[in-house]
Amino acid sequence: MLLVMEPSLYTVKALFILDNDGNRLLSKYYDRELYPSIKEQKNFERNVFNKTHKADNEIAFVEGMTVVYKSSIDLFFYVVGSAQENELMLVSVLSCLFESLSQILRKNVERRCLLDNMEGVFLIVDEIIDGGVILESDPQQVLQKVNYRADESPLSEQSVAQHITEKLALTTNVLQSAKEQIKWSILK
Amino acid sequence: MIKKFDKKDEESGSGSNPFQHLEKSAVLQEARIFNETPINPRRCLHILTKIIYLLNQGEHFGTTEATEAFFAMTRLFQSNDQTLRRMCYLTIKEMANISEDVIIVTSSLTKDMTGKEDVYRGPAIRALCRITDTTMLQAIERYMKQAIVDKVPSVSSSALVSSLHMVKMSYDVVKRWVNEAQEAASSDNIMVQYHALGLLYHLRKNDRLAVTKMLNKFTKSGLKSPFAYCMLIRIASKLLDETEGGHDSPLFDFIESCLRNKNEMVVYEAASAIVHMPNCTARELAPAVSVLQLFCSSPKAALRYAAVRTLNKVAMKHPSAVTACNLDLENLITDSNRSIATLAITTLLKTGSESSVDRLMKQISSFVSEISDEFKVVVVQAISALCQKYPRKHSVMMNFLSNMLRDDGGFEYKRAIVDCIISIIEENPESKETGLAHLCEFIEDCEHTVLATKILHLLGKEGPRTPQPSKYIRFIFNRVVLESEAVRAAAVSALAKFGAQNDDLLPSVLVLMQRCMMDSDDEVRDRATFYMNVLQQKQKALNAAYIFNGLSVSIPGLEKSLHQYTLEPTEKPFDMKSVPLATTPITDHKSDITPVSSSKLPDKLTPSRQDIYQEQLAAIPDFQGLGPLFKSSEQVQLTEAETEYVVRCVKHTFAGHMVFQFDCTNTLNDQLLQKVVVQMEPSESYEVVTYIPASSLPYSQPGSCYTLVRLPEDDPTAVSCTFSCTMKYLVKDCDPNTGEPDDDGYDDEYVLEDLEVTVADHIQKVLKANFGAAWEEVGDEFEKEETFALASVRTLDEAVGNIISFLGMQPCERSDKVPENKNSHVLFLAGVFRGGHDMLVRARLALADGVTMQVTVRSGEETVVDVILASVG
């Protein structure tokens, strides 16, 4: 324990987002030796969740790992590092993740909104950490790199087409009724 | 897209998970639309998201289906939708290990990596490096070099980080990019700087000189990135640790200067680095402690936690340095984050005075039920440390511990408490009875077999020697009635010890044994029958050999020997002396008092260091027929630190021979050593039999060569000898970069320090749990006694330490601890001499001007007694 830590860029051991029932929405394990199987990972997540969901204490120590966390409405964000890791580095990753998500979700950091923009979430996590190395810790930079826009008006090509046909249908209806009216007025 | 979800929502209520009922097969079915033209980016994007989501949930994809989906996905590179392309990169990374033939996307990724769209370049590099292996790396090397020095930060960072990932796989290729990384390190972008520094360090970490140069350069020029500063601090402190450089070195100054950095992360890293340095003086600690003190009142919980955790570590070694923070720590006791509160209290327990102990203990008990098991263990460890510091407080602690023992808690927590109580019992004889009573109560309702057996063992050891042994019998026998097999067996063994030690209890113990012989479990019945028969003989020597002091052989060794014995049918009975002895662990594995409890302790019996050596030596044909390995010494340094070659020696003792194992490391990167032997010149009548060379010793790869020596048979008392050692070898110069050696070489030699063989190399430590019984068992047939004056020794402690290290024997009955303020002491030592002869030493020490020592040696073999006395004199 008192040995000097091997200097390394591999800072983050794991990162995960859980919902308020402790279910995994996204999780990344960067150290293959730590919890190699899905079962062990989910156990760890469960354990972390049980210890943290009651009080928003920012930091906890679980199974020999330092865990920094943050909650928002019905979401819990966790960043895990080794016991010897500089806690503030982990905090900087966590706040970068949270800020970036908060931006793309337009401050609606809640489960539903997150799931609707899952691809954006995946991309953001990918830009913040690469294989356990902190790639970027400035939310502005992350957003610029991801260049992702949340769905506001869900106008897919399909729906546009649909929209147009509906409009067309409407116009034909109007035309039709106008025609009818004219016809009736003439007949009168 | 949202509309699609809305429909599902109406069915299952709002807030449902749109990905909840995803079916893998359905999603893969949907993936067929990847092949439609024109590509519909939105729908494809959504399907990719579903696939990644499923993978993330731990859904298993078979190779065929994954490969199919992967190949379909490659078509999406035709679309120019940015997000879609980025999701393709993610899919590639996620599927790199599941799908086959992922390399088909190499050319698409290479195109993106070198293309005009900056948004694609970084992620493309990272995806490409994920699917590239060593052979293909050569092909993209040119692009990687360019990318590292690219002026776009995200491209450069991506290339640097990917290179770092690939160092493990293809060190030799990545090594060639050092110059580019060097250039990137002077970038203006803070992340590029950090990543370049990390890669540079990783490539150079085996070359201390280069690391030093790099550090000098960066500490002078200064960096912008706080992350890079933290990395520099770590490198500097590692270098300080390795070079054991004094704290006046510029490296230390650099770390100290970081305490004044404007970024908290850097300040904390520097403080923590200083605190973790071995042998730091109080004066050097002071500035670090005062920044940590400031952090204690930070509004950020993480910072408070970091600060108090680090202070906790300081308090272990320098409690006085932390006293200044006591007030701040007191404020943290009521922190809403219980982890912080616990750490604050345990720190205070270490720094506080004896008078504050009661108050703090009360405070802990108020919230001990709210904290997690990990921190409960921390509390227990703090209490354990406190007991050693203030032995008079043991009654308060014992009370507290027994309350904790009654509460709920996991195994680690309970084990920590039990260990703590046991150590209190061992340190304070007057607390023995209360402690044993608490433990007896605990095993009445204990779900952990390991703890129950451990306590029963302790009861067996300590119980019979208390004034009222009979009261423990009931607790032990209850276990025989109620518990699982393992606990029942342990209880039977404990009972036997009571019967053997106390004659008046013997009849009742025999009655209980008789009942145990009816047990449903084989092991319990066997033990009961065995003890029953031994006890009925009523012979002290038998009791000592078979009840008090069990087997002292190595268990894996015994297993191997027995297996060997069954393979070769013979008429001869199995000889216990042919089994290597168990080595008592030399260092006490008491974990540091930190919240890092190793929850993943190996359950299996791991082979000891000696068992590993035994295996290695047995693989060398020349060493067959030497018999079992008797003892392996600690490593002895034969070179100074920081020399061209580093040589360490392990002395292996066999019944009639010794093998010297030389572990050599070549630290010159422009040399290849071959045919390395260490030539030895003995001072006594020891005879060198053979040398076994290490065939080749490339740069920084350790290798071993051996020397076999025959011990003098005619003079068994010649146990000590000095060898002068010279390392002889063939040198071939080689290219430092490629390691390619020249064809020709020349012979050279290198003089090493002398190697001493002492009496301790011939003796293996053996723990006799009950020394008195063992003493009687050996008998006084070959007893000899002599008195010595140790003039140069000042204290009893020092004398005890010297005798133990000189003889290399195991102190028994905790006689290695000299009580304070005593003028006389008796030390009990037990060991086995080479050849398998038990030997016991009783040393009576008296302190006058110097220390006078009366040594009594007993053994089953006369020469052994002579050897010991001769060597002491």
Side-chain angles (χ1 to χ4, degrees):
Chain A
M1 188 53 209
L2 289 174
L3 289 176
V4 177
M5 199 178 154
E6 174 71 24
S8 153
L9 294 190
Y10 294 95
T11 307
V12 181
K13 296 274 178 204
L15 175 153
F16 45 88
I17 306 176
L18 306 180
D19 68 9
N20 57 353
D21 295 322
N23 294 318
R24 165 195 286 201
L25 299 180
L26 178 154
S27 78
K28 286 271 178 194
Y29 287 76
Y30 299 107
D31 185 346
R32 240 167 255 187
E33 278 151 36
L34 179 83
Y35 310 117
S37 75
I38 290 284
K39 203 173 150 224
E40 288 164 284
Q41 293 178 2
K42 292 209 166 163
N43 265 338
F44 176 65
E45 284 160 31
R46 172 64 44 193
N47 201 352
V48 168
F49 181 74
N50 288 340
K51 291 212 167 116
T52 53
H53 75 284
K54 283 185 218 123
D56 202 0
N57 278 332
E58 268 185 56
I59 187 158
F61 190 79
V62 187
E63 297 185 19
M65 312 291 287
T66 303
V67 180
V68 296
Y69 63 102
K70 189 170 176 68
S71 65
S72 167
I73 310 176
D74 51 1
L75 289 174
F76 290 83
F77 300 88
Y78 298 91
V79 175
V80 183
S82 83
Q84 291 92 326
E85 194 48 75
N86 186 330
E87 288 85 350
L88 301 185
M89 279 197 176
L90 301 176
V91 169
S92 78
V93 172
L94 179 68
S95 50
C96 176
L97 173 71
F98 189 80
E99 299 276 306
S100 317
L101 289 178
S102 159
Q103 289 268 343
I104 65 158
L105 304 179
R106 301 206 162 68
K107 307 249 187 279
N108 298 322
V109 186
E110 42 109 15
R111 180 167 170 274
R112 183 54 207 268
C113 201
L114 184 99
L115 286 170
D116 285 345
N117 293 288
M118 210 54 198
E119 57 272 31
V121 181
F122 284 130
L123 290 177
I124 280 178
V125 171
D126 181 61
E127 282 297 346
I128 297 176
I129 301 164
D130 186 89
V133 178
I134 304 177
L135 200 59
E136 184 53 74
S137 68
D138 176 1
Q140 289 317 316
Q141 292 292 327
V142 172
L143 290 170
Q144 203 186 329
K145 287 182 197 173
V146 170
N147 192 17
Y148 174 83
R149 235 175 281 269
D151 276 307
E152 203 176 12
S153 52
L155 290 181
S156 65
E157 283 159 48
Q158 221 180 359
S159 60
V160 170
Q162 209 175 2
H163 207 73
I164 294 170
T165 25
E166 274 170 20
K167 278 257 170 77
L168 275 176
L170 204 68
T171 8
T172 24
N173 271 348
V174 174
L175 280 176
Q176 204 98 50
S177 59
K179 255 188 201 164
E180 294 281 287
Q181 273 177 10
I182 295 166
K183 200 163 82 185
W184 281 112
S185 62
I186 293 170
L187 281 176
K188 266 181 195 166
Chain B
M1 199 159 68
I2 283 181
K3 266 187 191 151
K4 229 186 301 171
F5 297 152
D6 280 342
K7 247 185 221 161
K8 261 190 218 156
D9 259 12
E10 280 156 17
E11 286 160 15
S12 52
S14 70
S16 76
N17 181 346
F19 297 99
Q20 200 160 34
H21 302 292
L22 281 186
E23 280 280 335
K24 178 180 70 175
S25 49
V27 174
L28 290 174
Q29 193 81 22
E30 277 188 276
R32 293 204 176 147
I33 68 148
F34 292 167
N35 289 322
E36 278 173 17
T37 339
I39 293 168
N40 180 339
R42 289 216 146 254
R43 286 186 63 196
C44 293
L45 182 60
H46 189 60
I47 293 161
L48 283 184
T49 312
K50 283 182 185 170
I51 292 177
I52 296 179
Y53 185 88
L54 281 177
L55 285 168
N56 213 276
Q57 289 294 322
E59 184 85 42
H60 175 77
F61 279 65
T63 315
T64 331
E65 52 190 6
T67 312
E68 212 166 283
F70 186 85
F71 274 67
M73 184 272 303
T74 55
R75 239 197 111 245
L76 302 182
F77 271 91
Q78 292 174 10
S79 162
N80 279 325
D81 184 278
Q82 264 192 19
T83 313
L84 181 62
R85 181 71 60 89
R86 297 288 311 273
M87 286 302 276
C88 286
Y89 300 149
L90 278 194
T91 318
I92 292 170
K93 288 202 272 189
E94 293 287 335
M95 287 199 163
N97 294 328
I98 331 174
S99 164
E100 282 174 340
D101 300 323
V102 282
I103 51 167
I104 55 148
V105 286
T106 305
S107 65
S108 308
L109 288 173
T110 320
K111 210 174 104 204
D112 283 353
M113 151 183 186
T114 50
K116 287 201 178 62
E117 287 270 21
D118 285 345
V119 197
Y120 291 158
R121 294 175 61 204
I125 291 172
R126 291 189 281 127
L128 179 60
C129 290
R130 203 42 229 285
I131 58 163
T132 301
D133 59 22
T134 310
T135 46
M136 280 169 29
L137 189 58
Q138 313 266 4
I140 58 161
E141 183 173 2
R142 187 162 57 93
Y143 302 122
M144 285 301 287
K145 279 183 167 181
Q146 279 167 9
I148 290 176
V149 293
D150 199 282
K151 62 181 188 310
V152 180
S154 72
V155 175
S156 175
S157 270
S158 294
L160 286 163
V161 172
S162 301
S163 311
L164 182 68
H165 295 325
M166 286 189 300
V167 169
K168 278 182 227 109
M169 182 181 78
S170 7
Y171 176 79
D172 292 324
V173 181
V174 181
K175 199 171 67 178
R176 299 199 287 257
W177 309 344
V178 158
N179 288 336
E180 282 76 13
Q182 187 83 49
E183 194 180 327
S186 45
S187 156
D188 284 338
N189 183 284
I190 58 168
M191 289 321 273
V192 175
Q193 215 173 50
Y194 171 57
H195 297 139
L197 179 67
L199 179 62
L200 280 176
Y201 173 72
H202 215 74
L203 291 175
R204 288 173 173 170
K205 65 180 170 190
N206 291 324
D207 184 351
R208 197 174 294 159
L209 195 68
V211 174
T212 317
K213 267 190 203 157
M214 184 173 91
L215 266 180
N216 279 340
K217 186 174 162 241
F218 288 121
T219 52
K220 280 206 190 79
S221 64
L223 295 161
K224 280 186 187 163
S225 157
F227 292 116
Y229 260 111
C230 290
M231 183 77 187
L232 270 188
I233 291 170
R234 283 181 200 180
I235 300 173
S237 65
K238 181 154 195 286
L239 206 61
L240 266 178
D241 184 58
E242 282 174 352
T243 54
E244 287 153 24
H247 294 165
D248 46 355
S249 91
L251 291 176
F252 186 81
D253 292 343
F254 163 71
I255 298 178
E256 201 176 22
S257 74
C258 291
L259 288 175
R260 293 182 288 281
N261 193 293
K262 57 182 186 299
N263 193 305
E264 279 170 347
M265 190 195 290
V266 180
V267 177
Y268 169 62
E269 185 73 45
S272 147
I274 293 177
V275 165
H276 284 104
M277 275 176 205
N279 49 51
C280 217
T281 63
R283 197 175 55 80
E284 286 158 343
L285 276 174
V289 170
S290 57
V291 301
L292 292 173
Q293 186 177 5
L294 277 181
F295 288 163
C296 280
S297 44
S298 158
K300 291 184 202 155
L303 194 52
R304 292 199 303 275
Y305 173 89
V308 70
R309 203 166 78 97
T310 315
L311 283 175
N312 194 352
K313 276 179 211 149
V314 184
M316 273 192 281
K317 283 201 326 219
H318 304 272
S320 55
V322 188
T323 336
C325 310
N326 276 2
L327 205 62
D328 306 77
L329 290 170
E330 292 269 356
N331 288 334
L332 293 181
I333 293 180
T334 49
D335 201 295
S336 64
N337 185 327
R338 287 307 186 200
S339 311
I340 296 177
T342 315
L343 285 168
I345 289 195
T346 50
T347 314
L348 281 171
L349 281 176
K350 286 173 201 141
T351 62
S353 60
E354 195 164 352
S355 57
S356 61
V357 169
D358 293 287
R359 183 174 57 88
L360 290 169
M361 297 295 277
K362 205 173 278 171
Q363 215 135 18
I364 302 185
S365 24
S366 69
F367 67 82
V368 81
S369 57
E370 293 173 44
I371 56 179
S372 66
D373 268 15
E374 275 93 349
F375 283 100
K376 284 182 183 162
V377 175
V378 179
V379 172
V380 175
Q381 285 167 337
I383 292 171
S384 169
L386 208 58
C387 293
Q388 284 172 8
K389 201 164 141 201
Y390 304 120
R392 276 185 293 158
K393 285 281 170 199
H394 66 79
S395 61
V396 185
M397 314 287 176
M398 196 60 104
N399 242 331
F400 184 75
L401 287 170
S402 69
N403 282 333
M404 288 174 102
L405 207 48
R406 278 186 215 119
D407 289 343
D408 290 339
F411 170 64
E412 289 295 330
Y413 171 48
K414 296 281 164 164
R415 189 174 70 172
I417 303 175
V418 169
D419 285 347
C420 184
I421 293 183
I422 292 178
S423 79
I424 295 178
I425 293 175
E426 286 176 343
E427 300 282 335
N428 310 287
E430 64 266 43
S431 67
K432 190 186 281 180
E433 284 195 53
T434 31
L436 288 181
H438 288 313
L439 292 176
C440 280
E441 187 195 325
F442 174 60
I443 54 169
E444 288 282 282
D445 182 24
C446 168
E447 57 196 311
H448 309 294
T449 310
V450 183
L451 293 180
T453 50
K454 187 170 184 171
I455 292 170
L456 283 168
H457 181 76
L458 180 81
L459 283 177
K461 203 173 121 214
E462 300 290 344
R465 288 187 267 179
T466 54
Q468 253 194 307
S470 58
K471 67 177 173 190
Y472 300 107
I473 302 267
R474 179 176 64 85
F475 288 104
I476 299 176
F477 193 68
N478 277 348
R479 307 275 62 76
V480 178
V481 184
L482 300 167
E483 298 276 359
S484 65
E485 294 80 8
V487 180
R488 294 207 300 269
V492 168
S493 302
L495 272 182
K497 288 182 187 152
F498 280 84
Q501 182 98 7
N502 308 87
D503 289 337
D504 47 331
L505 288 179
L506 185 60
S508 18
V509 168
L510 286 176
V511 172
L512 296 177
M513 277 300 170
Q514 216 130 32
R515 284 190 55 185
C516 299
M517 284 163 69
M518 250 66 104
D519 197 283
S520 59
D521 182 68
D522 290 350
E523 172 72 21
V524 180
R525 270 201 316 273
D526 287 356
R527 284 199 193 189
T529 316
F530 173 73
Y531 289 129
M532 182 84 185
N533 285 304
V534 175
L535 286 172
Q536 278 168 340
Q537 306 299 315
K538 295 187 184 166
Q539 285 182 28
K540 282 257 180 281
L542 279 181
N543 285 351
Y546 296 109
I547 298 183
F548 293 126
N549 301 318
L551 282 178
S552 53
V553 294
S554 130
I555 302 297
L558 178 63
E559 186 186 346
K560 212 173 294 161
S561 307
L562 284 172
H563 180 64
Q564 199 63 36
Y565 183 75
T566 52
L567 287 182
E568 297 159 5
T570 116
E571 292 293 303
K572 277 196 298 183
F574 181 72
D575 182 10
M576 269 318 253
K577 283 188 179 168
S578 69
V579 181
L581 292 168
T583 43
T584 34
I586 296 154
T587 45
D588 202 355
H589 287 292
K590 226 173 202 176
S591 59
D592 277 322
I593 306 175
T594 43
V596 192
S597 55
S598 41
S599 51
K600 294 180 208 154
L601 274 181
D603 299 324
K604 244 179 14 190
L605 186 67
T606 48
S608 68
R609 183 173 151 267
Q610 179 158 348
D611 292 323
I612 297 167
Y613 281 133
Q614 163 97 3
E615 196 109 306
Q616 285 173 352
L617 293 176
I620 299 170
D622 293 66
F623 299 151
Q624 273 163 10
L626 295 184
L629 175 59
F630 178 71
K631 179 177 185 176
S632 296
S633 74
E634 286 292 283
Q635 279 198 336
V636 186
Q637 287 276 5
L638 293 184
T639 49
E640 310 246 327
E642 309 276 323
T643 44
E644 299 96 308
Y645 312 113
V646 178
V647 181
R648 298 191 185 90
C649 178
V650 181
K651 297 173 270 187
H652 302 290
T653 313
F654 291 85
H657 295 81
M658 284 190 86
V659 170
F660 299 93
Q661 174 183 343
F662 297 95
D663 296 325
C664 317
T665 313
N666 166 15
T667 64
L668 298 176
N669 62 359
D670 56 352
Q671 281 193 356
L672 172 73
L673 306 190
Q674 288 185 329
K675 297 181 195 154
V676 185
V677 289
V678 175
Q679 194 171 344
M680 302 178 78
E681 296 288 340
S683 65
E684 305 287 326
S685 55
Y686 283 49
E687 181 197 342
V688 175
V689 184
T690 47
Y691 292 108
I692 295 172
S695 57
S696 154
L697 209 56
Y699 165 58
S700 85
Q701 283 176 23
S704 299
C705 61
Y706 301 90
T707 307
L708 175 64
V709 169
R710 184 179 297 128
L711 297 169
E713 278 161 34
D714 43 340
D715 180 13
T717 53
V719 287
S720 53
C721 178
T722 307
F723 291 89
S724 48
C725 306
T726 315
M727 182 160 82
K728 298 201 165 176
Y729 45 85
L730 179 74
V731 185
K732 286 186 176 172
D733 290 326
C734 60
D735 183 339
N737 289 325
T738 58
E740 208 50 53
D742 293 350
D743 292 337
D744 302 323
Y746 51 90
D747 286 318
D748 200 353
E749 58 180 53
Y750 188 80
V751 178
L752 304 174
E753 283 171 33
D754 288 353
L755 183 67
E756 302 267 355
V757 172
T758 62
V759 64
D761 290 319
H762 302 271
I763 299 172
Q764 179 67 273
K765 294 178 176 190
V766 171
L767 181 70
K768 296 284 184 196
N770 189 326
F771 188 83
W775 186 254
E776 292 305 319
E777 179 200 344
V778 172
D780 55 3
E781 196 184 344
F782 297 114
E783 182 181 284
K784 282 197 183 167
E785 196 166 79
E786 227 169 297
T787 309
F788 303 92
L790 310 172
S792 61
V793 185
R794 296 278 135 183
T795 64
L796 287 176
D797 256 336
E798 196 184 344
V800 167
N802 285 351
I803 299 167
I804 294 173
S805 67
F806 178 78
L807 288 177
M809 293 171 74
Q810 176 70 35
C812 299
E813 309 276 338
R814 303 182 64 79
S815 61
D816 53 330
K817 299 238 164 92
V818 183
E820 279 175 52
N821 307 325
K822 285 268 180 77
N823 287 330
S824 62
H825 183 67
V826 187
L827 174 66
F828 301 112
L829 296 172
V832 170
F833 193 77
R834 174 167 56 84
H837 307 295
D838 262 334
M839 48 180 285
L840 301 167
V841 170
R842 187 181 66 201
R844 291 200 166 104
L845 304 161
L847 183 70
D849 281 339
V851 173
T852 318
M853 171 173 77
Q854 185 191 42
V855 183
T856 315
V857 187
R858 283 187 176 187
S859 169
E861 181 69 39
E862 193 170 9
T863 45
V864 175
V865 178
D866 292 336
V867 166
I868 298 296
L869 284 178
S871 64
V872 175

